[in-house]
Amino acid sequence: MDPEKQDVIKFILYLMLLEVEMRKKREKTEEMEKQLRADRAALEAMENKRLMLMSERDDKIAEKKTVDKLVADFLRADANGDFEAQKAMENQIVALISRDAGDTGPSGGGG
């Protein structure tokens, strides 16, 4: 076989090898892009969960502050013998407990 034909065949084989390599790189790129999309979706889901948990935490902290104040006021009313204030606070405590228990009865404590 003459050298020119050999060079052409070598060049064609080289181009075929390049094409195979390019295809492999494209496939790898597609795989990486797919993984990136999945990772972004997972990250977004985790961020949403984090925000929900932070909101729940803030709600619990606010509720605890409300309960702590109510208990302190109740004890103060008890020390002062203010039974009317105690009765009103008892109703608030029952409403809080009912709301926490998911009670949406006639008191409307379902929150």
Side-chain angles (χ1 to χ4, degrees), residues 33-86:
E33 287 172 345
K34 182 178 178 182
Q35 185 62 47
L36 178 61
R37 286 190 299 274
D39 289 346
R40 284 182 175 161
L43 179 62
E44 183 177 342
M46 291 172 75
E47 177 64 12
N48 289 338
K49 183 169 183 164
R50 183 186 73 85
L51 291 172
M52 180 199 62
L53 290 172
M54 287 176 60
S55 178
E56 286 179 8
R57 180 203 63 195
D58 293 346
D59 291 347
K60 295 286 183 193
I61 289 170
E63 186 175 326
K64 183 177 181 332
K65 286 180 182 179
T66 299
V67 170
D68 289 349
K69 182 181 182 323
L70 195 54
V71 169
D73 290 347
F74 182 84
L75 293 175
R76 192 174 313 111
D78 185 49
N80 295 334
D82 187 351
F83 298 113
E84 286 183 30
Q86 282 181 301

Side-chain angles (χ1 to χ4, degrees), residues 10-25:
K10 284 181 183 177
F11 183 71
I12 291 172
L13 288 174
Y14 177 73
L15 288 177
M16 291 172 71
L17 284 174
L18 285 177
E19 189 175 327
V20 168
E21 284 298 313
M22 289 294 292
R23 188 176 320 118
K24 285 181 183 178
K25 287 186 181 202

